[in-house]
Amino acid sequence: MGIGFGRLMRDKDKARKGIDAAVTWSVYLLLFLLGIAVGTNADIINNFSRIGYTAFWLTIGAVGGSVLLAALVYHFFFKAGKGADYEG
């Protein structure tokens, strides 16, 4: 249903801008509510140092993996090669 609705709205710039803003603010609200849920959970607060250490390494791995994969995708799919159509 979402794809169908998106196809109907793709030529309506004003509606798309409103939908984009609504999605952005919905994400902000969900992150805020997630923060409240984490802050009120005693188990998470009591084990924050151990969870924080694990979260740090997970974050480093996720960011590093994303950067590596983005570099590979850029290199193989978007970087201009030195072929006949290369103007450089």
Side-chain angles (χ1 to χ4, degrees):
M1 286 180 64
I3 292 172
F5 186 73
R7 284 186 55 90
L8 292 173
M9 300 302 285
R10 68 179 164 191
D11 295 329
K12 296 171 177 53
D13 288 333
K14 187 175 181 180
R16 259 196 351 206
K17 288 179 183 178
I19 292 169
D20 288 344
V23 168
T24 299
W25 284 103
S26 296
V27 170
Y28 291 155
L29 177 64
L30 288 172
L31 287 171
F32 178 73
L33 293 173
L34 177 64
I36 290 173
V38 168
T40 58
N41 188 330
D43 291 333
I44 292 175
I45 298 301
N46 292 336
N47 296 309
F48 198 70
S49 62
R50 187 174 51 135
I51 293 170
Y53 183 73
T54 304
F56 172 77
W57 288 112
L58 285 172
T59 302
I60 295 297
V63 170
S66 295
V67 169
L68 178 65
L69 187 59
L72 289 172
V73 167
Y74 174 76
H75 177 73
F76 287 112
F77 295 105
F78 296 105
K79 191 173 181 181
K82 293 187 178 183
D85 60 342
Y86 182 68
E87 297 177 24

